[in-house]
Every structure is written in C-alpha cells, then in structure tokens.
C-alpha cells in the first residue's frame, strides 16, 4: 500500500512572501517620501532665508547711501533763557486705513 502525500500548497507560501515584500517596499517607499519632503522643506527655508538676507542687505545699503535731510532750524535748548512762547513742533498721525474723501 502506498499512501499519497498531500501536495504542498505553494500558492499560500508565495502569497505570504509577496505580502511581506509588498509591505516592506511600502515602508521603504514611505520612508523615502518622508525624507524627500524633509529635504524639500529644508531647501525651501534655505532659499527664503537667502532671499531675505539679500533683500535686507540691499535695503541697508540703500538707506546708507540715501542723503540725510539737513536740519536747518535747530530749536534752542530749554533752560537757557528761551522764551516760553516757543513750542515744539507737533506731529499729526493719520492712519492708512482711514481715507479722507474730498468733495
């Protein structure tokens, strides 16, 4: 009497191997995607920082090269017999968001 050995189910074994390799590749690809996003954000921040530094340097040079207004009339120092009628100039501040309509 010979007994037949049951056939080995190769499909179940290959499904397990395929599933594990797919999961492993998904983990690896998701890690690569996260790394790429982090590197991209770092590059964007670096570019923005360089642009801001260049703009700041440009504006500072422009301010330094701009002619400074000369003070023609310097008010006399207080306490040296100056008349009490002399008042310091007043500054009027008009907010930008309020528009005066002329008729």
């Amino acid at each position: 009497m010979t007994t037949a050995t049951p056939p080995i189910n190769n499909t179940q074994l290959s499904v397990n191997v395929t599933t594990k390799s797919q999961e492993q590749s998904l983990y690896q690809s998701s890690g690569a995607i996260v790394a790429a996003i982090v590197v991209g954000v770092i590059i964007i921040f670096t570019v923005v920082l360089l642009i801001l530094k260049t703009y700041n340097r440009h504006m500072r040079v422009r301010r330094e090269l701009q002619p400074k207004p000369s003070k023609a009339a310097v008010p006399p120092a207080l306490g040296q017999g100056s008349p009490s009628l002399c008042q310091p100039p007043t500054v009027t501040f008009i907010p930008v968001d309020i528009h005066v309509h002329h008729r």
Side-chain angles (χ1 to χ4, degrees):
M1 272 193 172
T2 60
T3 57
T5 59
I8 299 174
N9 194 354
N10 286 337
T11 57
Q12 186 179 13
L13 182 63
S14 66
V15 168
N16 279 344
V17 171
T18 306
T19 305
K20 285 188 179 180
S21 65
Q22 284 178 347
E23 287 178 3
Q24 189 177 13
S25 66
L26 282 175
Y27 283 128
Q28 288 175 350
S29 64
S30 65
I33 290 171
V34 169
I37 290 173
V38 168
V39 169
V41 168
I42 290 173
I43 290 172
I44 289 172
F45 279 146
T46 305
V47 168
V48 169
L49 179 68
L50 290 175
I51 289 172
L52 287 176
K53 281 182 70 173
T54 305
Y55 176 75
N56 189 19
R57 185 178 302 139
H58 178 70
M59 293 307 291
R60 188 181 71 223
V61 168
R62 180 181 282 179
R63 269 186 310 224
E64 289 176 356
L65 293 178
Q66 190 176 23
K68 294 181 175 62
S70 61
K71 295 181 180 179
V74 177
L78 295 176
Q80 296 181 354
S82 62
S84 61
L85 298 176
C86 180
Q87 296 178 350
T90 59
V91 177
T92 304
F93 175 75
I94 300 174
V96 177
D97 58 347
I98 297 176
H99 300 287
V100 178
H101 298 286
H102 297 288
R103 294 183 186 190

